[in-house]
Amino acid sequence: AARPTAPELDALLGLLTRPRHGPRTVAVGHSRDAVCRAAAHAFAAAWEEAGGAVVATVDWPESAASWLRPAGRLTAGAPDAWVFAATVTGVAQLARRLRHSTDWDPRRSHAFAALADPRLPALAGPPTVDGLSGATADGGTWRLRGHALITLPPV
């Protein structure tokens, strides 16, 4: 995974602040590698600087015996939205647990460019991540719709 770019971080913040009454609170989840951790912390700092609140920061290993603990920690604070800085394999497994065991909604979830990958719906199951969106490295955006990955260029 590549380090997030400034346009990518700006686009991700834009996805969360575009709606008229956008989210105020977010939970941030990330893989444990250095790149994902740095991206998560960069987002959290930018979000708080913009006046938002981070109610939880949760990390996870790429393979876990159970995904229930990180899923529970991500949803415990009833955030308005979720942000992921992670790898495809970890999020696919976590998303299945989130979807089946919590009130998590992929349509209120956003991610960095690393998750703009057509393997994600295939690994997680298309309905599990339907509506998940994110930013591309060049400042564009992406959204998962069923099996499809739809990307839009920067505005």
Side-chain angles (χ1 to χ4, degrees):
R3 292 208 177 274
T5 64
E8 180 179 2
L9 185 57
D10 289 345
L12 188 55
L13 287 166
L15 284 169
L16 286 146
T17 57
R18 270 192 205 127
R20 187 173 229 165
H21 301 287
R24 304 288 306 140
T25 62
V26 299
V28 179
H30 64 86
S31 299
R32 290 184 177 163
D33 63 275
V35 171
C36 292
R37 185 178 345 207
H41 291 301
F43 171 82
W47 181 250
E48 288 174 337
E49 187 176 302
V54 176
V55 297
T57 301
V58 179
D59 65 15
W60 56 80
E62 285 311 294
S63 58
S66 170
W67 294 92
L68 191 56
R69 180 171 290 155
R73 289 179 55 214
L74 279 166
T75 56
D80 298 323
W82 292 270
V83 173
F84 296 109
T87 64
V88 171
T89 54
V91 166
Q93 296 174 84
L94 178 63
R96 285 195 302 269
R97 175 53 71 188
L98 282 164
R99 196 73 161 158
H100 295 293
S101 302
T102 72
D103 63 354
W104 175 72
D105 183 351
R107 294 168 301 177
R108 292 177 19 221
S109 302
H110 310 282
F112 283 90
L115 293 182
D117 187 318
R119 294 176 302 158
L120 182 55
L123 290 169
T128 304
V129 291
D130 188 52
L132 178 71
S133 65
T136 60
D138 65 359
T141 58
W142 58 268
R143 181 171 298 274
L144 295 173
R145 287 276 181 237
H147 287 283
L149 171 65
I150 300 159
T151 59
L152 297 172
V155 179

